[in-house]
Amino acid sequence: MAREDGANARSVIDIRDLSLTFETNDGPVHALSNIDLNIEEGDFVSFIGPSGCGKTTLLRVIADLEKPTGGHISVNGVSPEEARLARAYGYVFQSAALYPWRTIANNVALPLEIMGLSSEERAERVKRNMELVNLSGFERKYPWQLSGGMQQRASIARALAVEPDLLLMDEPFGALDEIVRDHLNEQLLQLWAKTNKTVVFVTHSIPEAVFLSTKIVVLFPRPGRIYDVIESDLPRDRTLDIRETPEFLKIAHRVRDGLRAGHSYDD
Amino acid sequence: MSGASLTLTGQGAAGVGRTLAWAIVALALISLPQTAFTDGPTVIASADLMLSPILLGGAAILLALGVGPRRLVDLALLAVSVVAAIQLLRAVGTNFSKAESGFWSLVGALWLASWLFVERLSGWDVTSLAAKRAIGILIPALFGVWVLVLWQLLVIGLGVSPVLLPPPSAIGARFASSLPTLWADFQQTFLKAVLIGYAVGCGSAFIVAILVDKVDFLRRGLLPIGNLVSALPIVGVAPIMVMWFGFDWPSKAAVVIIMTFFPMLVNTVAGLASADRMQRDLMTTYAADYWQTLFKLRLPMALPFIFNALKINSTLALIGAIVAEFFGTPIVGMGFRISTEVGRMNVDMVWAEIAVAALAGSVFYGLVTLLERVFTFWHPSVRG
């Protein structure tokens, strides 16, 4: 299941010379420019960078929530739009974005209803994915009755219920406290190891990026571009203890150097 | 539950209670040597009234001193207030416009006693939900009853002309003796004009709102026209509707439709736009189509806005139908009755119709609010 070399892995996301320019009243804003990136099957890739570096925008381009203005991008070998219409990915947003009028189980079932699955199939997938994120027993609760961490877990279950091979996560744990975040990071790693999905993860936390990723992409702002791509040689099954090892600290150091180079304190 | 629980209530509330109690005692004492009605005996010498100051004063003293079981004393206060109210109402009934200082002192004591009881009742620390709910209903109900009692006492005691303001008893008697007429008016105005106009007005505005939301040129074309129609004065529109749709209820329903259409339209359009970007992006990532997004996200999000409009419209519809009847109607209907009975100086009948309108309007509003609580239980304003 886990490939250490990844040499013959299938490319899931292929980005070449991609750029995205927003037209605003103050003139064009270059959100992304000259992005080249290849993400292979089974990779756990983190985008890290200061705010405004375009990491979320890049993820939204992959998800077809933004259209690039130049360059090439393919997801699963097709355009992002075709991939979206084929429901090729699950997307986890910065906040849980659960619908308050639906119970947790019905929130998880929402994409399945839209896909037109039978009610037996829906019930089965809801049960399985809620177990996966340790939310069994909370099926009939409403989102506002749950803590922030549980809500975010429910939103991950919702993304997983689609059973995509590709998981796109936009700072999913950004609003949670350190302890809950550690716990969810560990759970996410176990999940990834169990299912061998490809994960693209946006974060601005260095420990989080290094702990989770097989590949860390450091981005620069104005215009958003890739500064460094760090292949992590940490073993695939990790525990939180790995954060104390010299190998971990070495990678974290390299990420920090990259981030520091991207920060300009002139303005 | 004895005197000890008194200390559980807030110091300030207990202070207010004690002040009120002593004020009642003072008023009861003041009233005793004074005449109640012109050419009548003093309060203490009047067989009809002498019990009231003694009972009110006695209960107030018990309360001020904090003697006896607390809830029992509170209930005793209510009981003596009822007795005093009955005595005063009976005494004033035969003495139109003759009330003197003794009577007014007693009215003051009674008013303070009713205030004090509500003050005490709201301080009861009950735990069961049913009891809390019962007290929640009892307090406004008592307030309503005291308003009616005071109205009756003031109007008769001061000798206010029934044309200006009839006493509640006269309105009640007229209400009871005119039930068939009131029912016929209610049927004509409420069950036909209001309900049908409301349903058609709100329903069509809802459908138009969906269209306006989907088709951009309708948004730019229809919304300003809707705005214009809503600005039309009802007194100008109503006679035209009567000319178009005749004297019977359809012309009133048309006025109601015009009045209810725009609030529903703008609220629904605003509600459909209220889903935030992340919630909509979520639907995009699922490759949901327009109708799926509409039914699973945007309409539920719009529900609080829609119910807002339904509540506003429930009162607008009744006003519209009643006013529209001023401009031509068959000889039945609440608005028709009000305009003709005012002309005949039958003010108690006008008030009876107003009571029907108030009752119907409140029940209608209450039902819509109940539905709102069922459908938007998830909204922060409802879930509490």
Side-chain angles (χ1 to χ4, degrees):
Chain A
M1 161 182 108
R3 294 165 317 274
E4 297 303 331
D5 53 359
N8 301 317
R10 187 173 69 89
S11 167
V12 175
I13 298 168
D14 184 36
I15 300 173
R16 267 175 281 142
D17 196 27
L18 183 103
S19 63
L20 172 55
T21 308
F22 291 114
E23 291 300 333
T24 68
N25 291 335
D26 301 332
V29 172
H30 302 282
L32 298 170
S33 87
N34 298 321
I35 304 284
D36 285 290
L37 186 65
N38 184 40
I39 296 175
E40 288 165 354
E41 191 173 14
D43 270 349
F44 197 124
V45 179
S46 287
F47 295 166
I48 190 165
S51 43
C53 70
K55 55 192 190 294
T56 293
T57 309
L58 184 54
L59 195 72
R60 290 174 63 84
V61 169
I62 296 170
D64 189 39
L65 293 172
E66 306 284 356
K67 306 276 183 205
T69 46
H72 164 85
I73 173 167
S74 70
V75 177
N76 283 345
V78 294
S79 75
E81 184 175 8
E82 285 166 301
R84 175 174 67 83
L85 294 176
R87 291 161 179 130
Y89 65 83
Y91 198 105
V92 180
F93 290 87
Q94 287 176 7
S95 71
L98 299 166
Y99 293 175
W101 53 88
R102 283 174 170 256
T103 59
I104 296 298
N106 282 337
N107 265 294
V108 176
L110 173 71
L112 310 179
E113 284 173 26
I114 290 166
M115 291 160 72
L117 297 185
S118 71
S119 61
E120 296 86 44
E121 173 82 13
R122 290 204 302 258
E124 192 274 322
R125 284 206 198 179
V126 167
K127 188 172 182 297
R128 183 152 37 89
N129 287 292
M130 287 193 60
E131 272 167 17
L132 214 55
V133 296
N134 283 334
L135 270 182
S136 298
F138 293 95
E139 287 86 356
R140 306 183 69 160
K141 293 277 186 208
Y142 285 93
W144 73 84
Q145 296 168 320
L146 266 52
S147 69
M150 291 168 100
Q151 288 184 23
Q152 198 54 274
R153 262 157 43 204
S155 85
I156 292 170
R158 183 179 58 187
L160 292 174
V162 181
E163 301 192 342
D165 294 327
L166 175 61
L167 206 52
L168 306 177
M169 307 178 90
D170 182 9
E171 295 188 40
F173 310 135
L176 307 176
D177 69 60
E178 200 72 24
I179 306 295
V180 176
R181 178 189 271 224
D182 281 352
H183 181 63
L184 290 181
N185 278 340
E186 241 180 341
Q187 281 188 327
L188 180 60
L189 262 191
Q190 285 164 10
L191 203 83
W192 171 67
K194 247 188 276 182
T195 56
N196 197 37
K197 292 186 190 304
T198 312
V199 182
V200 185
F201 192 95
V202 169
T203 180
H204 53 230
S205 157
I206 297 171
E208 190 172 63
V210 179
F211 176 63
L212 291 171
S213 315
T214 57
K215 185 189 252 184
I216 301 161
V217 179
V218 182
L219 289 112
F220 264 22
R222 282 181 298 262
R225 61 199 186 279
I226 292 177
Y227 172 77
D228 196 6
V229 177
I230 303 160
E231 302 278 349
S232 170
D233 47 9
L234 297 173
R236 282 203 158 215
D237 44 347
R238 314 164 184 177
T239 58
L240 287 169
D241 302 330
I242 204 169
R243 294 185 298 186
E244 316 295 336
T245 63
E247 294 80 12
F248 183 96
L249 295 174
K250 210 180 91 199
I251 298 170
H253 190 75
R254 191 170 153 198
V255 175
R256 178 167 285 116
D257 278 349
L259 286 178
R260 203 171 280 152
H263 260 295
S264 60
Y265 294 100
D266 316 334
D267 48 1
Chain B
M1 291 308 117
S2 61
S5 69
L6 189 68
T7 54
L8 288 177
T9 60
Q11 196 60 47
V16 171
R18 203 160 292 137
T19 314
L20 279 174
W22 287 123
I24 293 167
V25 174
L27 279 172
L29 284 175
I30 290 170
S31 74
L32 289 175
Q34 305 192 63
T35 48
F37 299 106
T38 318
D39 309 327
T42 58
V43 168
I44 189 69
S46 153
D48 294 339
L49 283 176
M50 60 178 287
L51 205 54
S52 295
I54 296 167
L55 287 175
L56 283 175
I61 286 174
L62 283 184
L63 227 144
L65 298 177
V67 188
R70 167 171 182 180
R71 292 189 182 182
L72 213 60
V73 173
D74 289 352
L75 289 177
L77 179 71
L78 178 66
V80 303
S81 304
V82 171
V83 171
I86 291 170
Q87 281 208 318
L88 285 169
L89 286 170
R90 288 175 65 174
V92 83
T94 54
N95 289 287
F96 184 77
S97 194
K98 286 189 194 162
E100 298 265 337
S101 54
F103 176 78
W104 294 122
S105 306
L106 279 178
V107 171
L110 179 60
W111 174 53
L112 291 180
S114 54
W115 177 0
L116 178 57
F117 177 71
V118 171
E119 183 85 35
R120 300 278 297 181
L121 188 63
S122 53
W124 282 24
D125 48 340
V126 288
T127 43
S128 93
L129 201 67
K132 265 189 192 132
R133 202 163 290 167
I135 288 181
I137 295 169
L138 196 59
I139 289 176
L142 275 176
F143 182 78
V145 171
W146 287 125
V147 166
L148 289 179
V149 169
L150 274 179
W151 176 355
Q152 179 89 8
L153 294 173
L154 285 171
V155 165
I156 300 185
L158 291 171
V160 175
S161 158
V163 174
L164 289 180
L165 185 63
S169 60
I171 297 169
R174 179 54 89 107
F175 195 102
S177 67
S178 314
L179 277 179
T181 314
L182 290 170
W183 173 246
D185 291 346
F186 176 75
Q187 261 186 321
Q188 170 77 11
T189 304
F190 195 86
L191 297 185
K192 289 179 187 161
V194 170
L195 286 189
I196 292 171
Y198 180 83
V200 175
C202 294
S204 57
F206 177 77
I207 292 166
V208 171
I210 304 258
L211 289 175
V212 161
D213 176 76
K214 188 157 170 59
V215 187
D216 190 51
F217 99 88
L218 284 181
R219 179 194 297 273
R220 279 178 283 169
L222 263 181
L223 275 185
I225 292 176
N227 201 341
L228 187 82
V229 171
S230 80
L232 295 178
I234 178 177
V235 288
V237 173
I240 294 169
M241 291 300 124
V242 171
M243 283 195 276
W244 286 4
F245 299 108
F247 279 104
D248 214 342
W249 64 266
S251 59
K252 283 76 198 172
V255 172
V256 172
I257 290 170
I258 289 173
M259 286 189 79
T260 55
F261 186 85
F262 190 70
M264 185 69 176
L265 178 66
V266 282
N267 271 289
T268 308
V269 168
L272 287 172
S274 69
D276 65 37
R277 180 171 165 194
M278 206 180 280
Q279 288 172 316
R280 260 181 283 186
D281 280 349
L282 190 68
M283 290 309 236
T284 311
T285 67
Y286 300 149
D289 63 27
Y290 168 81
W291 294 106
Q292 287 171 327
T293 309
L294 182 69
F295 282 110
K296 292 188 191 297
L297 170 63
R298 300 175 66 216
L299 277 181
M301 282 301 285
L303 275 180
F305 290 78
I306 291 171
F307 272 105
N308 226 357
L310 288 176
K311 286 196 286 188
I312 295 168
N313 281 345
S314 72
T315 50
L316 275 184
L318 192 56
I319 297 170
I322 290 175
V323 173
E325 285 184 1
F326 284 29
F327 300 94
T329 169
I331 53 165
V332 64
M334 294 161 77
F336 161 79
R337 196 75 54 204
I338 288 171
S339 61
T340 50
E341 298 296 335
V342 157
R344 292 184 191 165
M345 295 284 189
N346 270 339
V347 185
D348 42 359
M349 188 62 187
V350 175
W351 279 94
E353 290 285 0
I354 289 173
V356 172
L359 208 66
S362 308
V363 170
F364 193 16
Y365 187 90
L367 285 177
V368 176
T369 309
L370 213 65
L371 276 182
E372 180 187 31
R373 296 187 80 87
V374 171
F375 280 101
T376 63
F377 66 94
W378 48 271
H379 196 259
S381 68
V382 175
R383 71 182 191 237

